[in-house]
mmCIF file with all atom_site columns, all heavy atoms in Angstrom:
data_model
loop_
_atom_site.group_PDB
_atom_site.id
_atom_site.type_symbol
_atom_site.label_atom_id
_atom_site.label_alt_id
_atom_site.label_comp_id
_atom_site.label_asym_id
_atom_site.label_entity_id
_atom_site.label_seq_id
_atom_site.pdbx_PDB_ins_code
_atom_site.Cartn_x
_atom_site.Cartn_y
_atom_site.Cartn_z
_atom_site.occupancy
_atom_site.B_iso_or_equiv
_atom_site.pdbx_formal_charge
_atom_site.auth_seq_id
_atom_site.auth_comp_id
_atom_site.auth_asym_id
_atom_site.auth_atom_id
_atom_site.pdbx_PDB_model_num
ATOM 1   N N   . GLU A 1 103 ? 10.984  -20.513 -64.115 1.00 89.00 ? 103 GLU A N   1
ATOM 2   C CA  . GLU A 1 103 ? 11.681  -20.751 -62.843 1.00 89.00 ? 103 GLU A CA  1
ATOM 3   C C   . GLU A 1 103 ? 12.116  -19.432 -62.208 1.00 89.00 ? 103 GLU A C   1
ATOM 4   O O   . GLU A 1 103 ? 12.014  -19.254 -60.987 1.00 89.00 ? 103 GLU A O   1
ATOM 5   C CB  . GLU A 1 103 ? 12.890  -21.646 -63.105 1.00 89.00 ? 103 GLU A CB  1
ATOM 6   C CG  . GLU A 1 103 ? 13.629  -22.102 -61.838 1.00 89.00 ? 103 GLU A CG  1
ATOM 7   C CD  . GLU A 1 103 ? 14.676  -21.068 -61.382 1.00 89.00 ? 103 GLU A CD  1
ATOM 8   O OE1 . GLU A 1 103 ? 15.180  -20.304 -62.243 1.00 89.00 ? 103 GLU A OE1 1
ATOM 9   O OE2 . GLU A 1 103 ? 14.948  -20.988 -60.166 1.00 89.00 ? 103 GLU A OE2 1
ATOM 10  N N   . LEU A 1 104 ? 12.582  -18.471 -63.037 1.00 89.00 ? 104 LEU A N   1
ATOM 11  C CA  . LEU A 1 104 ? 12.993  -17.168 -62.512 1.00 89.00 ? 104 LEU A CA  1
ATOM 12  C C   . LEU A 1 104 ? 11.817  -16.439 -61.874 1.00 89.00 ? 104 LEU A C   1
ATOM 13  O O   . LEU A 1 104 ? 11.918  -15.916 -60.760 1.00 89.00 ? 104 LEU A O   1
ATOM 14  C CB  . LEU A 1 104 ? 13.584  -16.335 -63.657 1.00 89.00 ? 104 LEU A CB  1
ATOM 15  C CG  . LEU A 1 104 ? 13.900  -14.862 -63.314 1.00 89.00 ? 104 LEU A CG  1
ATOM 16  C CD1 . LEU A 1 104 ? 14.979  -14.793 -62.238 1.00 89.00 ? 104 LEU A CD1 1
ATOM 17  C CD2 . LEU A 1 104 ? 14.333  -14.102 -64.569 1.00 89.00 ? 104 LEU A CD2 1
ATOM 18  N N   . VAL A 1 105 ? 10.689  -16.434 -62.565 1.00 88.00 ? 105 VAL A N   1
ATOM 19  C CA  . VAL A 1 105 ? 9.526   -15.737 -62.035 1.00 88.00 ? 105 VAL A CA  1
ATOM 20  C C   . VAL A 1 105 ? 9.029   -16.406 -60.752 1.00 88.00 ? 105 VAL A C   1
ATOM 21  O O   . VAL A 1 105 ? 8.662   -15.744 -59.774 1.00 88.00 ? 105 VAL A O   1
ATOM 22  C CB  . VAL A 1 105 ? 8.415   -15.678 -63.099 1.00 88.00 ? 105 VAL A CB  1
ATOM 23  C CG1 . VAL A 1 105 ? 7.142   -15.094 -62.511 1.00 88.00 ? 105 VAL A CG1 1
ATOM 24  C CG2 . VAL A 1 105 ? 8.861   -14.848 -64.304 1.00 88.00 ? 105 VAL A CG2 1
ATOM 25  N N   . ALA A 1 106 ? 9.009   -17.750 -60.753 1.00 88.00 ? 106 ALA A N   1
ATOM 26  C CA  . ALA A 1 106 ? 8.531   -18.472 -59.566 1.00 88.00 ? 106 ALA A CA  1
ATOM 27  C C   . ALA A 1 106 ? 9.452   -18.260 -58.373 1.00 88.00 ? 106 ALA A C   1
ATOM 28  O O   . ALA A 1 106 ? 9.004   -18.239 -57.228 1.00 88.00 ? 106 ALA A O   1
ATOM 29  C CB  . ALA A 1 106 ? 8.407   -19.962 -59.888 1.00 88.00 ? 106 ALA A CB  1
ATOM 30  N N   . ARG A 1 107 ? 10.756  -18.101 -58.646 1.00 89.00 ? 107 ARG A N   1
ATOM 31  C CA  . ARG A 1 107 ? 11.693  -17.880 -57.554 1.00 89.00 ? 107 ARG A CA  1
ATOM 32  C C   . ARG A 1 107 ? 11.584  -16.470 -56.968 1.00 89.00 ? 107 ARG A C   1
ATOM 33  O O   . ARG A 1 107 ? 11.750  -16.269 -55.775 1.00 89.00 ? 107 ARG A O   1
ATOM 34  C CB  . ARG A 1 107 ? 13.113  -18.128 -58.063 1.00 89.00 ? 107 ARG A CB  1
ATOM 35  C CG  . ARG A 1 107 ? 14.202  -17.874 -57.025 1.00 89.00 ? 107 ARG A CG  1
ATOM 36  C CD  . ARG A 1 107 ? 15.523  -18.534 -57.448 1.00 89.00 ? 107 ARG A CD  1
ATOM 37  N NE  . ARG A 1 107 ? 15.862  -18.223 -58.813 1.00 89.00 ? 107 ARG A NE  1
ATOM 38  C CZ  . ARG A 1 107 ? 16.472  -17.093 -59.205 1.00 89.00 ? 107 ARG A CZ  1
ATOM 39  N NH1 . ARG A 1 107 ? 16.793  -16.192 -58.309 1.00 89.00 ? 107 ARG A NH1 1
ATOM 40  N NH2 . ARG A 1 107 ? 16.775  -16.881 -60.473 1.00 89.00 ? 107 ARG A NH2 1
ATOM 41  N N   . ARG A 1 108 ? 11.266  -15.484 -57.829 1.00 88.00 ? 108 ARG A N   1
ATOM 42  C CA  . ARG A 1 108 ? 11.209  -14.105 -57.354 1.00 88.00 ? 108 ARG A CA  1
ATOM 43  C C   . ARG A 1 108 ? 9.855   -13.725 -56.752 1.00 88.00 ? 108 ARG A C   1
ATOM 44  O O   . ARG A 1 108 ? 9.736   -12.698 -56.077 1.00 88.00 ? 108 ARG A O   1
ATOM 45  C CB  . ARG A 1 108 ? 11.547  -13.148 -58.503 1.00 88.00 ? 108 ARG A CB  1
ATOM 46  C CG  . ARG A 1 108 ? 12.983  -13.213 -58.967 1.00 88.00 ? 108 ARG A CG  1
ATOM 47  C CD  . ARG A 1 108 ? 13.969  -12.827 -57.868 1.00 88.00 ? 108 ARG A CD  1
ATOM 48  N NE  . ARG A 1 108 ? 13.709  -11.508 -57.344 1.00 88.00 ? 108 ARG A NE  1
ATOM 49  C CZ  . ARG A 1 108 ? 14.171  -10.386 -57.885 1.00 88.00 ? 108 ARG A CZ  1
ATOM 50  N NH1 . ARG A 1 108 ? 14.944  -10.439 -58.936 1.00 88.00 ? 108 ARG A NH1 1
ATOM 51  N NH2 . ARG A 1 108 ? 13.891  -9.217  -57.349 1.00 88.00 ? 108 ARG A NH2 1
ATOM 52  N N   . PHE A 1 109 ? 8.811   -14.499 -57.009 1.00 90.00 ? 109 PHE A N   1
ATOM 53  C CA  . PHE A 1 109 ? 7.472   -14.219 -56.459 1.00 90.00 ? 109 PHE A CA  1
ATOM 54  C C   . PHE A 1 109 ? 7.018   -15.385 -55.593 1.00 90.00 ? 109 PHE A C   1
ATOM 55  O O   . PHE A 1 109 ? 7.169   -16.552 -55.971 1.00 90.00 ? 109 PHE A O   1
ATOM 56  C CB  . PHE A 1 109 ? 6.452   -13.980 -57.577 1.00 90.00 ? 109 PHE A CB  1
ATOM 57  C CG  . PHE A 1 109 ? 6.573   -12.638 -58.245 1.00 90.00 ? 109 PHE A CG  1
ATOM 58  C CD1 . PHE A 1 109 ? 7.431   -12.458 -59.309 1.00 90.00 ? 109 PHE A CD1 1
ATOM 59  C CD2 . PHE A 1 109 ? 5.826   -11.565 -57.794 1.00 90.00 ? 109 PHE A CD2 1
ATOM 60  C CE1 . PHE A 1 109 ? 7.547   -11.222 -59.928 1.00 90.00 ? 109 PHE A CE1 1
ATOM 61  C CE2 . PHE A 1 109 ? 5.926   -10.326 -58.413 1.00 90.00 ? 109 PHE A CE2 1
ATOM 62  C CZ  . PHE A 1 109 ? 6.787   -10.152 -59.476 1.00 90.00 ? 109 PHE A CZ  1
ATOM 63  N N   . ARG A 1 110 ? 6.459   -15.066 -54.416 1.00 90.00 ? 110 ARG A N   1
ATOM 64  C CA  . ARG A 1 110 ? 5.926   -16.092 -53.521 1.00 90.00 ? 110 ARG A CA  1
ATOM 65  C C   . ARG A 1 110 ? 4.450   -15.821 -53.274 1.00 90.00 ? 110 ARG A C   1
ATOM 66  O O   . ARG A 1 110 ? 4.008   -14.668 -53.176 1.00 90.00 ? 110 ARG A O   1
ATOM 67  C CB  . ARG A 1 110 ? 6.684   -16.083 -52.191 1.00 90.00 ? 110 ARG A CB  1
ATOM 68  C CG  . ARG A 1 110 ? 8.130   -16.493 -52.318 1.00 90.00 ? 110 ARG A CG  1
ATOM 69  C CD  . ARG A 1 110 ? 8.741   -16.767 -50.960 1.00 90.00 ? 110 ARG A CD  1
ATOM 70  N NE  . ARG A 1 110 ? 8.147   -17.931 -50.322 1.00 90.00 ? 110 ARG A NE  1
ATOM 71  C CZ  . ARG A 1 110 ? 8.556   -18.443 -49.153 1.00 90.00 ? 110 ARG A CZ  1
ATOM 72  N NH1 . ARG A 1 110 ? 9.573   -17.866 -48.518 1.00 90.00 ? 110 ARG A NH1 1
ATOM 73  N NH2 . ARG A 1 110 ? 7.956   -19.482 -48.621 1.00 90.00 ? 110 ARG A NH2 1
ATOM 74  N N   . ARG A 1 111 ? 3.711   -16.906 -53.139 1.00 92.00 ? 111 ARG A N   1
ATOM 75  C CA  . ARG A 1 111 ? 2.263   -16.823 -52.956 1.00 92.00 ? 111 ARG A CA  1
ATOM 76  C C   . ARG A 1 111 ? 1.953   -16.449 -51.504 1.00 92.00 ? 111 ARG A C   1
ATOM 77  O O   . ARG A 1 111 ? 2.460   -17.059 -50.567 1.00 92.00 ? 111 ARG A O   1
ATOM 78  C CB  . ARG A 1 111 ? 1.624   -18.155 -53.312 1.00 92.00 ? 111 ARG A CB  1
ATOM 79  C CG  . ARG A 1 111 ? 0.100   -18.183 -53.138 1.00 92.00 ? 111 ARG A CG  1
ATOM 80  C CD  . ARG A 1 111 ? -0.432  -19.572 -53.476 1.00 92.00 ? 111 ARG A CD  1
ATOM 81  N NE  . ARG A 1 111 ? -1.867  -19.690 -53.184 1.00 92.00 ? 111 ARG A NE  1
ATOM 82  C CZ  . ARG A 1 111 ? -2.833  -19.366 -54.035 1.00 92.00 ? 111 ARG A CZ  1
ATOM 83  N NH1 . ARG A 1 111 ? -2.505  -18.896 -55.232 1.00 92.00 ? 111 ARG A NH1 1
ATOM 84  N NH2 . ARG A 1 111 ? -4.099  -19.528 -53.722 1.00 92.00 ? 111 ARG A NH2 1
ATOM 85  N N   . ASP A 1 112 ? 1.110   -15.431 -51.339 1.00 92.00 ? 112 ASP A N   1
ATOM 86  C CA  . ASP A 1 112 ? 0.671   -14.990 -50.013 1.00 92.00 ? 112 ASP A CA  1
ATOM 87  C C   . ASP A 1 112 ? -0.809  -15.278 -49.883 1.00 92.00 ? 112 ASP A C   1
ATOM 88  O O   . ASP A 1 112 ? -1.650  -14.583 -50.440 1.00 92.00 ? 112 ASP A O   1
ATOM 89  C CB  . ASP A 1 112 ? 0.933   -13.496 -49.830 1.00 92.00 ? 112 ASP A CB  1
ATOM 90  C CG  . ASP A 1 112 ? 0.464   -12.998 -48.464 1.00 92.00 ? 112 ASP A CG  1
ATOM 91  O OD1 . ASP A 1 112 ? 0.225   -13.847 -47.576 1.00 92.00 ? 112 ASP A OD1 1
ATOM 92  O OD2 . ASP A 1 112 ? 0.341   -11.764 -48.286 1.00 92.00 ? 112 ASP A OD2 1
ATOM 93  N N   . GLU A 1 113 ? -1.141  -16.348 -49.124 1.00 92.00 ? 113 GLU A N   1
ATOM 94  C CA  . GLU A 1 113 ? -2.540  -16.737 -48.958 1.00 92.00 ? 113 GLU A CA  1
ATOM 95  C C   . GLU A 1 113 ? -3.222  -15.926 -47.855 1.00 92.00 ? 113 GLU A C   1
ATOM 96  O O   . GLU A 1 113 ? -4.428  -16.085 -47.643 1.00 92.00 ? 113 GLU A O   1
ATOM 97  C CB  . GLU A 1 113 ? -2.615  -18.233 -48.664 1.00 92.00 ? 113 GLU A CB  1
ATOM 98  C CG  . GLU A 1 113 ? -2.124  -19.092 -49.822 1.00 92.00 ? 113 GLU A CG  1
ATOM 99  C CD  . GLU A 1 113 ? -2.370  -20.578 -49.587 1.00 92.00 ? 113 GLU A CD  1
ATOM 100 O OE1 . GLU A 1 113 ? -2.861  -20.920 -48.488 1.00 92.00 ? 113 GLU A OE1 1
ATOM 101 O OE2 . GLU A 1 113 ? -2.062  -21.378 -50.481 1.00 92.00 ? 113 GLU A OE2 1
ATOM 102 N N   . ASN A 1 114 ? -2.471  -15.088 -47.174 1.00 91.00 ? 114 ASN A N   1
ATOM 103 C CA  . ASN A 1 114 ? -3.100  -14.208 -46.183 1.00 91.00 ? 114 ASN A CA  1
ATOM 104 C C   . ASN A 1 114 ? -3.799  -13.020 -46.829 1.00 91.00 ? 114 ASN A C   1
ATOM 105 O O   . ASN A 1 114 ? -4.551  -12.314 -46.176 1.00 91.00 ? 114 ASN A O   1
ATOM 106 C CB  . ASN A 1 114 ? -2.066  -13.686 -45.189 1.00 91.00 ? 114 ASN A CB  1
ATOM 107 C CG  . ASN A 1 114 ? -1.696  -14.729 -44.142 1.00 91.00 ? 114 ASN A CG  1
ATOM 108 O OD1 . ASN A 1 114 ? -2.215  -15.838 -44.179 1.00 91.00 ? 114 ASN A OD1 1
ATOM 109 N ND2 . ASN A 1 114 ? -0.806  -14.375 -43.240 1.00 91.00 ? 114 ASN A ND2 1
ATOM 110 N N   . SER A 1 115 ? -3.522  -12.763 -48.103 1.00 91.00 ? 115 SER A N   1
ATOM 111 C CA  . SER A 1 115 ? -4.217  -11.720 -48.826 1.00 91.00 ? 115 SER A CA  1
ATOM 112 C C   . SER A 1 115 ? -5.543  -12.256 -49.329 1.00 91.00 ? 115 SER A C   1
ATOM 113 O O   . SER A 1 115 ? -5.658  -13.433 -49.718 1.00 91.00 ? 115 SER A O   1
ATOM 114 C CB  . SER A 1 115 ? -3.357  -11.239 -50.004 1.00 91.00 ? 115 SER A CB  1
ATOM 115 O OG  . SER A 1 115 ? -4.030  -10.263 -50.746 1.00 91.00 ? 115 SER A OG  1
ATOM 116 N N   . VAL A 1 116 ? -6.558  -11.427 -49.316 1.00 90.00 ? 116 VAL A N   1
ATOM 117 C CA  . VAL A 1 116 ? -7.893  -11.830 -49.771 1.00 90.00 ? 116 VAL A CA  1
ATOM 118 C C   . VAL A 1 116 ? -8.272  -10.964 -50.970 1.00 90.00 ? 116 VAL A C   1
ATOM 119 O O   . VAL A 1 116 ? -8.529  -9.757  -50.802 1.00 90.00 ? 116 VAL A O   1
ATOM 120 C CB  . VAL A 1 116 ? -8.929  -11.675 -48.647 1.00 90.00 ? 116 VAL A CB  1
ATOM 121 C CG1 . VAL A 1 116 ? -10.301 -12.131 -49.132 1.00 90.00 ? 116 VAL A CG1 1
ATOM 122 C CG2 . VAL A 1 116 ? -8.511  -12.459 -47.415 1.00 90.00 ? 116 VAL A CG2 1
ATOM 123 N N   . PRO A 1 117 ? -8.289  -11.562 -52.227 1.00 90.00 ? 117 PRO A N   1
ATOM 124 C CA  . PRO A 1 117 ? -7.868  -12.936 -52.594 1.00 90.00 ? 117 PRO A CA  1
ATOM 125 C C   . PRO A 1 117 ? -6.355  -13.073 -52.557 1.00 90.00 ? 117 PRO A C   1
ATOM 126 O O   . PRO A 1 117 ? -5.650  -12.076 -52.435 1.00 90.00 ? 117 PRO A O   1
ATOM 127 C CB  . PRO A 1 117 ? -8.416  -13.047 -54.016 1.00 90.00 ? 117 PRO A CB  1
ATOM 128 C CG  . PRO A 1 117 ? -8.419  -11.651 -54.532 1.00 90.00 ? 117 PRO A CG  1
ATOM 129 C CD  . PRO A 1 117 ? -8.742  -10.768 -53.384 1.00 90.00 ? 117 PRO A CD  1
#
Side-chain angles (χ1 to χ4, degrees):
E103 186 274 334
L104 172 64
V105 174
R107 178 163 49 83
R108 292 298 303 275
F109 285 87
R110 294 193 66 176
R111 179 182 174 87
D112 179 16
E113 295 187 356
N114 282 0
S115 178
V116 181

